[in-house]
Amino acid sequence: MDLQCFLCWKVVPLLLLLPGRFWCMKVHILNEQPVHIIPGSKLVLTARIEKNPWEEVSTITWAREPETGQDRVKVTLATCPAKSPNCSGARPDVQMNLKQQETTLQINRYSIADSGEYSVTVIDRSGANTTGRCIVREYGTI
């Protein structure tokens, strides 16, 4: 047996014992982009969280910021510890919920001011985070 083959058979099993080193948690918003919505209606965004069995989600945050412009201030819409299935948002018309490996943001009575780039950030127990993004626009705009 040559040295390279020997090292491969000895090192690879050790690398497999290091959880989280070669798999990164991912989050993906499932809605088709860009999302077009009529003012006054309900906006529902759903994101799927992909993680390995060793990773534990700590916190999930939904936010929005303007799609364009120089004053891109991010507004937190809802933050929830992963152990809580339902969370209220920063406004009374915003709700967030968690089911298995999915999170949903719901905004009742969508207004033009709610247009922009939405993001969902998932933080694991170690503090590592991943973010999914989606553009939401008023119906009829390009």
Side-chain angles (χ1 to χ4, degrees), residues 49-108:
I49 302 164
E50 298 174 17
K51 62 181 191 62
N52 71 34
W54 300 285
E55 289 177 306
E56 186 175 324
V57 173
S58 172
T59 307
I60 299 172
T61 301
W62 283 90
R64 180 193 73 246
E65 61 185 297
E67 185 180 356
T68 60
Q70 294 179 344
D71 189 23
R72 293 188 54 149
V73 176
K74 185 180 273 192
V75 175
T76 299
L77 300 169
T79 299
C80 190
K83 303 286 186 200
S84 179
N86 291 306
C87 298
S88 58
R91 301 182 337 214
D93 62 337
V94 175
Q95 289 90 35
M96 172 184 167
N97 66 47
L98 307 169
K99 293 179 186 174
Q100 297 282 328
Q101 292 183 280
E102 283 190 354
T103 176
T104 301
L105 175 74
Q106 179 177 309
I107 298 178
N108 299 317

Side-chain angles (χ1 to χ4, degrees), residues 25-39:
M25 184 172 50
K26 298 175 190 171
V27 62
H28 174 73
I29 296 177
L30 302 177
N31 303 70
E32 225 175 276
Q33 289 196 58
V35 174
H36 288 91
I37 187 155
I38 298 169

